[in-house]
Amino acid sequence: MTRHQAVTPPAPPAPTAPTAPTAPTAPTAPTTSTTSTTTITTRTVEYPADGLTMVGHLALPAGSGRRPAVLIGPEGPGLNDFQRRRADALAELGYVALAFDINGGRWFTDPDEMLARITPLLADLDRMRGIGHAALDVLLAEPRTHPDRIAGIGYGTGGAILLELGRDGVDLRAIGTVNALTTGRPGEAANIRCPVWAGVGSEDPIMPPRQRDAFAAEMQAAGVDWRIVVYGGALHAFHHPPVHETQTLLPGVGHHPLHARRAWDDIVGLLAECVPVTEE
């Protein structure tokens, strides 16, 4: 029997002022800044996607050999310290982990601003795939990434992007999503080559039962190895505590600490099943 280390889900970051937008640039290669600890190394990586300069967070485990790797997609508001700590937690387990950006370095506290950015993005599958492929290219460029052992986990919009990578035929070893029961173009789910795990709150008005049913029907018709876990009493974004005093939440959004821990454990279990940590 293989035993897997339990890891505490990332804690919410201390409140910080929202990041101001920066003018998009298109560097020819990712630029990085690095911080090392006794166990992991973290690196800020800038790269072009969707006409913006994305600012991702790469976390590397201890050691020097190749490891399985994980793409981590953030919620609609964008990438902040909470999502970055997800990457750090996975690096502590032995994974190369990239928390990718979707908003060009911005993290939205105003839901209207967030929806103005995210709604047209979610309606454009090719744009979502472009963002996902750009992040995947950054992860594959890291020498410690094992190119044949990559999984993706995502939350909300980030989860939708990873599902689109699967529908686009990317050879991922697992896809795990929370609050992202999005459906794609007819027939394209047959391109998904890996197990799909999806978590959702029972009281989530943004992903209601009819959306769960549509997602399940799509996965089943495509012959995907899929499962949905419904967390009783949980709302949308139940996994993510409010992190800023000025943050305004959409109706139907709320944190559920117990289910947040359970969902994290379920995701870690999915990774342990599909991409167990070994070093080469």
Side-chain angles (χ1 to χ4, degrees):
M1 177 181 295
T2 302
R3 302 185 65 182
H4 306 298
Q5 179 182 358
V7 174
T8 302
T16 57
T19 304
T22 57
T25 60
T28 57
T31 60
T32 65
S33 61
T34 303
T35 301
S36 296
T37 69
T38 55
T39 57
I40 68 171
T41 300
T42 63
R43 183 181 304 154
T44 299
V45 185
E46 297 183 2
Y47 58 97
D50 200 40
L52 301 171
T53 298
M54 299 300 183
V55 185
H57 178 80
L58 181 68
L60 304 176
S64 58
R66 295 196 305 178
R67 296 289 185 87
V70 184
L71 278 173
I72 305 169
E75 299 85 350
L79 188 61
N80 67 5
D81 283 346
F82 183 76
Q83 290 92 343
R84 295 182 188 100
R85 281 203 276 271
R86 288 179 178 138
D88 296 350
L90 291 179
E92 289 169 1
L93 280 177
Y95 294 96
V96 175
L98 174 66
F100 63 85
D101 184 13
I102 60 174
N103 293 330
R106 289 199 68 179
W107 183 72
F108 294 104
T109 59
D110 184 323
D112 290 332
E113 285 189 282
M114 185 268 291
L115 290 173
R117 160 72 182 162
I118 294 303
T119 301
L121 176 62
L122 288 171
D124 191 330
L125 303 186
D126 292 329
R127 283 180 64 196
M128 285 200 290
R129 292 179 183 189
I131 290 172
H133 277 287
L136 179 61
D137 287 345
V138 172
L139 188 59
L140 286 168
E142 165 54 47
R144 295 200 60 201
T145 295
H146 193 304
D148 299 324
R149 303 185 66 212
I150 297 176
I153 64 172
Y155 299 79
T157 303
I161 288 171
L162 289 166
L163 285 168
E164 282 310 309
L165 284 185
R167 294 184 183 107
D168 200 32
V170 173
D171 189 16
L172 299 174
R173 295 307 184 199
I175 298 173
T177 74
V178 179
N179 303 323
L181 301 178
T182 53
T183 52
R185 296 186 184 109
E188 289 192 341
N191 296 326
I192 296 175
R193 310 179 194 177
C194 63
V196 172
W197 176 96
V200 65
S202 68
E203 308 309 303
D204 185 342
I206 300 173
M207 294 289 162
R210 65 179 179 276
Q211 184 65 32
R212 292 178 225 157
D213 292 344
F215 179 82
E218 180 194 30
M219 295 294 111
Q220 185 66 19
V224 176
D225 176 5
W226 66 278
R227 61 193 124 155
I228 295 176
V229 177
V230 179
Y231 296 94
L235 297 170
H236 191 74
F238 67 88
H239 55 278
H240 197 316
V243 297
H244 196 279
E245 60 186 5
T246 65
Q247 184 180 15
T248 302
L249 299 179
L250 290 168
V253 171
H255 184 221
H256 195 300
L258 178 59
H259 286 327
R261 290 194 296 272
R262 287 170 170 165
W264 177 254
D265 288 343
D266 286 343
I267 285 171
V268 170
L270 175 73
L271 296 176
E273 173 191 342
C274 299
V275 278
V277 172
T278 56
E279 184 171 5
E280 292 187 1

